[in-house]
């Protein structure tokens, strides 16, 4: 022990006590998914606070020279029985009484289920030092090491801090209608019990309107349960905003909902409002679950296999390489589904998994912040099979269930999720997200990190050819753009079961008017061929500016493929806007084929004898208070708009801009919409917004034609050296980085997005040794090379699809089905099972791979 004491003394200067702000990784290995519960435990460096599994700790010791590690191991506690849960094998759990996290009475996110053992291990000889051993060592060693151990044990881990934020879902605001609420003197008195909906006689989920005392049932839930929406319909007919849920009234309060504010609210005058209709709040007893209790019950049920199993079948669990489940980290099913599919693609496997040793050897000192390292770690975790093991039964030793559950230990991609979502307003949160948007976000991250070397996202990249024909001159214009996803329209008017749908709508209307229970919903059946026909048919452009006619006219636009990628991703456009601009999901069944031939959709380019539209820019937007001489530069003329003053701000209709902003669209996008539609009103501007929502610079600052600067900047404005260095480190030149920063008002995040959406222009900026780009030289140069795309036959076979359940991309649940060795497998977070009836007609994202003959 004296020898160990000497070693500790020699490394004492490297042992640190965690301070506020230090990132402590004590729950997950930086290079694998090992944890303190894993075999061998976790070693936490007592200097950098990085965690490593037993297979990687020697590598870190060799590279860093650090010798002192805190070894943490946890073993599951023996299950205890209690009166409430006798024989289940589960330790008693305190039921949540509050819709909250990290607050007394809320969800307990970290149950006491493990016994923990800690000790200091000294490398390279792996000498062990326990707390008892420290008691026999010199005071300096004992105090310093004990303090560091205690600090590490008490510090919040990074994963815990990211996963759990104190949140209270019960904080309710006072309704703006409560104080001045007008109550009708209609003589209505409400009895203390025996309530029924006035329309459908429902006896539960009843709400009394606080303005007129009428009683109606509540909203219908997504699964068909709940009420029949009669309380909501009453508000829509009368405008009376507040309602109280009968059965929740107690001396302490009640559930009050404001239909106008669309939220649960507080009514400070509730006793007075109830008394108006003969209800004595002090004598009422609770007979119904409050909305909070209902929401808690729903949150406790999230993840149950029964919700999304196929036709109630008992599915056979699978495990092994490529069959690894992923834990749901709180609405992370969209991420889980996308990454499961991507690591079925050979390009991602070879880029990140086949080269994992090289990637780890080249990783920076903090691999938790390195994109390539964390993607490789995730890929290996999914494909290796090391974590594809059945989860321990919480009731081990009991015979409560003999059927396989399909749950796995799986992997929890916390580091990956934190890194991929860092700085993003949506993916950094625990809210549900759109799987298609996440797929594009991840591809964008791959593009940024693969500017040199193999880029696996090329497997999805393809060129789209757009042909626009001016109907007045019959001259054409051809453009190409890069895309990664084919968006498939859903022509609802092409449903094959129209009569059945009309009959279902008639029965629903009758049920609503009579108060009868709603009929079973009928799903529209849309032929896949109809969707493809809608995709390929020409689109009419009514406000096309023709350079041949020098005026606005009508044109037709036809979209075709200029190249076919190795892997084709198809998004069914199920999510749309209703006439009231409320997002909705189309409930459709599409007979998506197992094989797909897109050969007929290949573009042909300019046809023999076909004339092209002249390359002349449209005239500038003119407004009454802007003169031509104020728009043209000192050398400008009416045919040349390349010298517009970048200091001139366009005159926009503020009221139209405000209306668009109130709909939730970004300010800069609203300004562009009004500008490019010539201040012609809200309808034209809205059409522009809907047609450009997918543009990469949709919300970027507006740049006037002929300039590369956003309003408020000039071409000579200085840029941040720190921002320059960041962009240059991604592989871009200084000139390219400068141009991007000047085009985005010196905002780094916008500059990075801008630079990746202008790659074609930037690749032509060949920088000479003197620092001037080739564009500035007087000599001519070759046209810029196009983006790198693969091309081949347009024949494909389906190998995966991602399905969504719920009414919106912002809620619900995602699962994916992947074809493995000619067998369909369903991945539902931690559950991996053989699929009995893959619902290919209900998918949201479909993944095809090229068939080579």
């Amino acid at each position: 022990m004296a020898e160990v004491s000497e070693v500790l003394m020699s490394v004492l200067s490297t042992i640190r006590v965690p301070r506020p702000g230090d990132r402590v990784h004590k729950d997950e290995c930086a290079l694998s998914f090992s944890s303190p519960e894993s075999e061998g435990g976790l070693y936490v460096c007592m200097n950098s606070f990085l965690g490593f599994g037993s297979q990687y700790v020697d590598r870190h010791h060799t590279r860093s020279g650090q010798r002192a590690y805190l070894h943490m191991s946890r073993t599951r506690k023996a299950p205890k029985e209690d009166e409430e849960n006798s024989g289940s094998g589960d330790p008693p759990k305190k039921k949540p009484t509050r819709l909250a996290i990290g607050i007394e009475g809320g969800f307990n996110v970290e149950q006491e289920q493990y016994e923990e053992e800690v000790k200091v291990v000294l490398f390279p000889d792996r000498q062990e030092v326990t707390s008892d051993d420290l008691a026999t060592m010199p005071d300096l060693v004992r105090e310093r090491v004990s303090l560091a151990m205690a600090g590490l044990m008490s510090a919040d881990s990074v994963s815990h801090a990211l996963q759990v934020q104190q949140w209270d879902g019960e904080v309710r605001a006072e309704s703006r209608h409560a104080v001045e609420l007008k109550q009708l003197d209609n003589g209505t008195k409400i009895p203390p019990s025996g309530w029924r909906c006035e329309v459908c006689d429902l006896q539960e989920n009843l709400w009394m309107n606080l303005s007129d005392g009428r009683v109606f049932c509540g909203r219908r839930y997504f699964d068909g349960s709940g009420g029949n929406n009669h309380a909501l319909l009453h508000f829509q007919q009368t405008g009376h905003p507040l309602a109280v849920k009968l059965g929740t009234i107690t001396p302490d309060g009640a559930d009050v909902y404001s239909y106008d504010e669309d939220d649960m609210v507080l009514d400070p005058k509730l006793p007075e409002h109830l008394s108006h209709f003969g209800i004595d709040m002090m004598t009422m007893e609770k007979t119904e679950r409050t909305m909070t209790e209902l929401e808690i019950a729903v949150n406790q049920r999230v993840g149950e296999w029964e919700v999304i199993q196929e036709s109630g079948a008992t599915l056979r669990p699978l495990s092994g390489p490529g069959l690894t489940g992923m834990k749901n980290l709180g609405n992370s099913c969209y991420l889980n589904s996308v990454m499961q599919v991507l690591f079925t693609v050979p390009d991602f496997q070879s880029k990140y998994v086949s080269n994992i040793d090289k990637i780890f050897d080249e990783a920076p000192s903090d691999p938790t912040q390195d994109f390539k390292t964390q993607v490789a770690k995730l890929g290996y975790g999914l494909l290796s099979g090391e974590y594809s093991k059945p989860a321990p039964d919480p009731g081990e030793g009991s015979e409560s269930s003999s059927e396989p559950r399909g749950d796995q230990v799986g992997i929890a991609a916390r580091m990956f999720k934190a890194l991929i979502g860092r700085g993003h307003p949506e993916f950094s949160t625990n809210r549900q997200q759109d799987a298609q948007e996440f797929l594009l976000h991840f591809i964008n991250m791959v593009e940024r990190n693969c500017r040199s070397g193999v880029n696996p996202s090329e497997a999805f990249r393809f060129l789209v050819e757009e042909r626009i024909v001016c109907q007045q001159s019959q001259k054409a214009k051809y453009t190409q753009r890069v895309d990664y996803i084919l968006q498939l329209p859903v022509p609802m008017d092409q449903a094959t079961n129209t009569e059945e749908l009309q009959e279902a709508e008639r029965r629903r209307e009758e049920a609503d008017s009579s108060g009868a229970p709603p009929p079973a919903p009928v799903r529209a059946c849309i032929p896949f061929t109809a969707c493809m026909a809608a995709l390929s048919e020409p689109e009419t452009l009514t406000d096309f500016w023709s350079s041949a006619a020098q005026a606005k006219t009508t044109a037709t636009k036809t979209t075709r493929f200029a190249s076919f990628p190795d892997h084709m991703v198809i998004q069914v456009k199920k999510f749309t806007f209703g006439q009231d601009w409320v997002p909705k999901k189309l409930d459709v069944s599409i007979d998506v084929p197992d094989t797909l031939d897109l050969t007929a959709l290949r573009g042909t380019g300019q046809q023999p004898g076909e004339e092209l539209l002249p390359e002349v820019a449209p005239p500038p937007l003119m407004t009454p208070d802007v003169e031509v001489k104020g728009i043209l530069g000192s050398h400008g003329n009416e045919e040349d708009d390349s010298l517009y003053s970048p200091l001139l701000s366009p005159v926009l209709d503020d009221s139209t801009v405000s209306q668009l902003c109130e709909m939730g669209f970004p300010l800069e996008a609203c300004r562009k919409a009004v500008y490019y539609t010539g201040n012609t009103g809200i309808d034209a501007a809205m059409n522009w917004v809907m047609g450009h929502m997918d543009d990469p610079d949709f919300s970027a600052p507006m740049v006037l034609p002929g300039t590369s600067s956003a309003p408020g900047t000039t071409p000579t404005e200085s840029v941040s050296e720190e921002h320059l260095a960041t962009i240059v480190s991604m592989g871009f030149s200084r000139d390219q980085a400068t141009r991007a920063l000047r085009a985005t008002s010196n905002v780094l995040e916008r500059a990075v997005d801008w630079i990746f959406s202008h790659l074609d222009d930037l690749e032509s900026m060949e920088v000479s040794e003197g620092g001037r780009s080739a564009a500035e030289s007087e000599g001519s140069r070759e046209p810029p090379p196009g983006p790198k795309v693969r091309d081949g036959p347009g024949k494909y076979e389906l190998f995966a699809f991602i399905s969504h359940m719920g009414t919106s991309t912002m809620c619900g649940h995602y699962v994916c089905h992947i074809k493995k060795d000619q067998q369909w497998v369903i991945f539902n977070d931690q559950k991996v099972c053989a699929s009995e009836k893959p619902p290919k007609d209900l998918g949201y994202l479909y993944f095809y791979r090229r068939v080579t003959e």
Side-chain angles (χ1 to χ4, degrees):
M1 191 55 64
E3 180 184 351
V4 174
S5 178
E6 291 178 5
V7 175
L8 268 178
M9 181 66 77
S10 67
V11 300
L12 205 58
S13 61
T14 66
I15 296 178
R16 297 173 51 218
V17 178
R19 294 172 297 185
D22 281 337
R23 299 169 59 87
V24 178
H25 298 274
K26 62 178 185 178
D27 287 336
E28 181 182 345
C29 172
L31 302 177
S32 73
F33 291 96
S34 297
S35 69
E37 296 89 54
S38 304
E39 184 177 352
L42 192 72
Y43 294 82
V44 181
C45 174
M46 300 184 75
N47 180 268
S48 65
F49 309 130
L50 293 171
F52 296 93
S54 57
Q55 73 272 46
Y56 290 113
V57 64
D58 287 300
R59 178 196 296 254
H60 182 259
H61 158 67
T62 302
R63 290 189 61 184
S64 67
Q66 297 299 325
R67 299 186 62 185
Y69 294 80
L70 183 69
H71 181 257
M72 305 174 64
S73 62
R74 298 191 192 120
T75 55
R76 186 182 293 269
K77 288 182 179 180
K80 298 178 181 179
E81 296 183 1
D82 64 351
E83 295 178 0
E84 182 181 75
N85 198 18
S86 178
S88 69
D90 284 329
K93 296 180 180 179
K94 186 176 181 181
K95 290 186 177 181
T97 59
R98 191 172 180 82
L99 190 63
I101 293 175
I103 292 177
E104 180 66 27
F107 283 91
N108 187 1
V109 295
E110 197 165 308
Q111 299 285 342
E112 292 293 330
Q113 300 175 1
Y114 298 95
E115 292 178 350
E116 197 164 50
E117 179 185 348
V118 296
K119 58 191 173 186
V120 176
V121 179
L122 301 173
F123 281 74
D125 299 326
R126 298 204 179 212
Q127 297 162 300
E128 299 182 356
V129 182
T130 65
S131 297
D132 293 338
D133 295 333
L134 284 175
T136 65
M137 295 186 178
D139 292 347
L140 179 61
V141 174
R142 183 182 68 251
E143 292 175 3
R144 181 65 176 270
V145 177
S146 296
L147 196 60
M149 291 177 68
L152 276 170
M153 294 302 298
S154 63
D156 275 340
S157 67
V158 172
S159 61
H160 184 273
L162 290 170
Q163 180 186 9
V164 181
Q165 299 175 355
Q166 192 178 76
W167 170 77
D168 191 344
E170 292 185 50
V171 176
R172 298 175 182 173
E174 181 178 314
S175 172
R176 62 172 178 265
H177 302 288
V179 175
E180 301 295 334
L181 184 71
K182 294 182 179 179
Q183 294 186 283
L184 305 183
D185 291 322
N186 54 10
T188 298
K189 298 298 177 183
I190 304 298
S193 61
W195 311 297
R196 293 175 181 268
C197 174
E198 296 183 18
V199 177
C200 63
D201 283 342
L202 201 66
Q203 299 181 49
E204 58 184 16
N205 191 19
L206 299 175
W207 296 76
M208 183 193 78
N209 192 284
L210 288 173
S211 293
D212 56 18
R214 301 187 66 182
V215 177
F216 298 98
C217 60
R219 299 184 192 233
R220 183 182 301 123
Y221 302 143
F222 73 94
D223 60 356
S225 63
N228 295 315
N229 294 329
H230 292 135
L232 173 61
L233 292 173
H234 182 65
F235 160 71
Q236 293 171 344
Q237 294 166 359
T238 64
H240 299 157
L242 299 184
V244 62
K245 186 175 185 183
L246 297 174
T248 68
I249 304 171
T250 69
D252 297 324
D255 275 358
V256 178
Y257 192 84
S258 171
Y259 287 101
D260 179 56
E261 296 159 286
D262 195 22
D263 204 354
M264 301 296 295
V265 295
L266 294 178
D267 179 2
K269 302 178 72 174
L270 183 60
E272 177 185 330
H273 292 155
L274 292 174
S275 177
H276 182 84
F277 297 109
I279 299 177
D280 184 356
M281 186 171 170
M282 302 307 295
T283 63
M284 297 296 290
E285 294 184 359
K286 180 174 170 294
T287 59
E288 281 244 355
R289 288 195 292 180
T290 65
M291 297 306 292
T292 293
E293 290 168 338
L294 288 171
E295 288 191 56
I296 289 174
V298 169
N299 277 279
Q300 287 177 311
R301 291 200 306 269
V302 167
E304 288 180 348
W305 184 237
E306 290 79 5
V307 176
I308 61 168
Q309 67 181 355
E310 298 171 12
S311 303
T314 300
L315 302 181
R316 177 170 56 90
L318 300 176
S319 60
L323 297 169
T324 304
M326 294 180 69
K327 295 180 181 177
N328 194 315
L329 307 178
N331 287 325
S332 65
C333 52
Y334 68 92
L335 179 149
N336 295 351
S337 297
V338 169
M339 299 314 299
Q340 289 281 12
V341 174
L342 287 183
F343 274 108
T344 309
V345 177
D347 295 77
F348 284 88
Q349 294 177 356
S350 59
K351 170 71 176 181
Y352 294 108
V353 182
S354 300
N355 296 320
I356 191 167
D357 289 333
K358 183 174 183 290
I359 292 173
F360 284 178
D361 287 339
E362 296 174 353
S365 57
D366 185 358
T368 68
Q369 303 301 299
D370 182 60
F371 177 83
K372 191 159 54 173
T373 300
Q374 292 307 311
V375 177
K377 167 185 165 180
L378 175 61
Y380 181 81
L382 291 176
L383 299 179
S384 66
E386 289 185 11
Y387 309 97
S388 182
K389 302 172 184 177
D393 191 334
E396 283 181 323
S398 69
E399 299 182 359
S400 58
S401 175
S402 60
E403 294 183 356
R405 296 178 302 129
D407 295 71
Q408 292 186 4
V409 173
I411 57 179
R414 293 189 182 94
M415 282 186 191
F416 173 81
K417 184 176 185 294
L419 182 63
I420 204 75
R422 186 175 60 191
H424 193 281
E426 291 298 331
F427 299 127
S428 60
T429 70
N430 281 339
R431 294 190 291 269
Q432 184 62 279
Q433 305 298 335
D434 185 345
Q436 180 257 359
E437 290 182 2
F438 176 76
L439 173 59
L440 289 178
H441 173 69
F442 180 73
I443 287 177
N444 190 29
M445 296 284 287
V446 172
E447 294 278 7
R448 296 182 185 185
N449 287 274
C450 294
R451 282 190 54 79
S452 59
V454 179
N455 185 345
S457 64
E458 290 176 6
F460 300 114
R461 187 189 299 159
F462 61 94
L463 286 177
V464 176
E465 176 189 282
E466 292 184 345
R467 176 177 179 261
I468 299 178
V469 178
C470 168
Q471 294 301 293
Q472 183 171 336
S473 65
Q474 291 302 308
K475 295 182 179 181
K477 174 183 180 181
Y478 288 86
T479 58
Q480 288 188 347
R481 58 178 171 83
V482 175
D483 216 330
Y484 295 89
I485 296 178
L486 173 64
Q487 293 187 318
L488 194 65
V490 181
M492 296 297 291
D493 58 344
Q494 298 296 310
T496 58
N497 58 339
T498 304
E499 293 183 1
E500 188 180 2
L501 291 170
Q502 291 174 345
E503 176 62 20
E505 179 64 18
R506 185 188 64 78
R507 292 198 306 267
R508 188 192 66 79
E509 291 176 353
E510 287 181 355
D512 286 345
S513 60
S514 65
V522 176
R523 181 173 289 122
C525 297
I526 312 294
F528 183 78
T529 52
C531 298
M532 294 302 296
L535 172 73
S536 58
E537 67 182 12
E539 175 187 354
T540 301
L541 307 178
T542 56
D543 286 326
F544 177 73
W545 189 85
S546 171
S547 57
Q550 289 291 300
K552 283 189 177 182
T553 183
T554 302
T556 58
K557 182 175 78 170
T558 307
T559 303
R560 292 291 184 268
F561 290 94
S563 69
F564 289 122
D566 289 348
H567 293 75
M568 176 68 72
V569 185
I570 297 180
Q571 176 198 12
V572 178
K573 298 178 69 174
K574 289 187 173 184
F575 299 98
T576 182
F577 289 94
Q579 294 182 349
D580 53 0
W581 293 103
V582 175
K584 67 176 183 178
K585 179 181 176 181
L586 302 178
D587 187 14
V588 295
S589 170
I590 302 175
D591 57 335
V592 176
D594 289 320
T595 58
L596 185 63
D597 190 350
L598 300 175
T599 306
L601 293 180
R602 183 182 283 276
T604 55
Q606 184 179 359
Q607 299 299 297
E610 184 178 49
E611 290 189 61
L612 298 182
L613 286 165
E615 292 290 338
V616 179
L621 170 67
M622 296 302 299
T623 51
D625 48 354
V626 178
E627 298 180 3
V628 175
K629 64 182 180 181
I631 291 181
L632 298 177
S634 58
H635 303 286
N637 55 68
E638 294 181 1
E639 288 77 30
D640 182 6
D641 67 342
S642 62
L643 295 173
Y644 292 161
S645 169
L647 300 178
L648 181 66
S649 297
V651 178
L652 305 176
D653 183 350
D654 290 338
S655 63
T656 306
V657 174
S658 298
Q659 289 181 64
L660 291 174
C661 288
E662 289 172 0
M663 295 180 186
F665 300 112
L667 172 61
E668 290 298 331
C670 300
R671 297 181 72 240
K672 291 178 191 175
V674 176
Y675 176 84
Y676 287 114
T677 55
N679 285 333
T680 53
I682 184 66
D683 291 339
M686 176 57 69
N687 290 334
W688 187 96
V689 167
M690 301 308 295
H692 292 77
M693 290 182 68
D694 295 330
D695 292 357
D697 58 350
F698 177 67
S699 58
M702 187 172 76
V703 180
L704 298 181
T707 76
S708 61
S709 303
T713 68
T714 70
T716 59
E717 183 178 354
S718 61
V719 295
S720 166
E721 286 295 329
E722 181 181 353
H723 292 352
L724 272 176
T726 300
I727 298 177
V728 169
S729 68
M730 296 180 178
F732 297 98
S733 70
R734 185 178 178 86
D735 278 9
Q736 292 169 337
T738 301
R739 182 176 175 185
L741 287 166
R742 285 177 176 165
T744 54
S745 302
N746 249 329
V747 179
L748 178 61
E749 291 77 11
R750 290 178 177 175
V752 172
D753 288 335
W754 186 94
I755 205 169
F756 279 99
S757 63
H758 292 76
L759 287 176
D760 292 355
D761 298 334
L762 295 172
E763 286 174 358
S764 68
M765 294 178 62
E766 300 172 2
V767 181
S768 65
E769 290 183 1
R772 299 180 66 221
S773 69
E776 294 173 325
S777 64
E778 296 180 1
S780 62
R781 55 182 173 84
E782 293 295 324
K788 185 177 180 181
V789 294
R790 305 172 189 174
D791 199 5
K795 296 183 178 180
Y796 296 91
E797 64 177 357
L798 182 69
F799 74 92
F801 61 95
I802 294 175
S803 305
H804 172 268
M805 291 172 294
T807 57
S808 165
T809 55
M810 298 298 105
C811 64
H813 186 60
Y814 287 97
V815 300
C816 69
H817 287 73
I818 304 176
K819 204 170 188 179
K820 302 262 186 178
D821 298 326
Q822 301 306 309
Q823 177 189 44
W824 283 101
V825 178
I826 181 171
F827 292 80
N828 175 27
D829 293 333
Q830 283 177 261
K831 301 178 177 68
V832 181
C833 296
S835 175
E836 297 278 339
K837 297 178 181 178
K840 288 182 284 187
D841 60 324
L842 302 179
Y844 174 48
L845 297 175
Y846 293 88
F847 295 79
Y848 285 83
R849 57 187 164 216
R850 194 196 314 277
V851 177
T852 55
E853 298 179 356

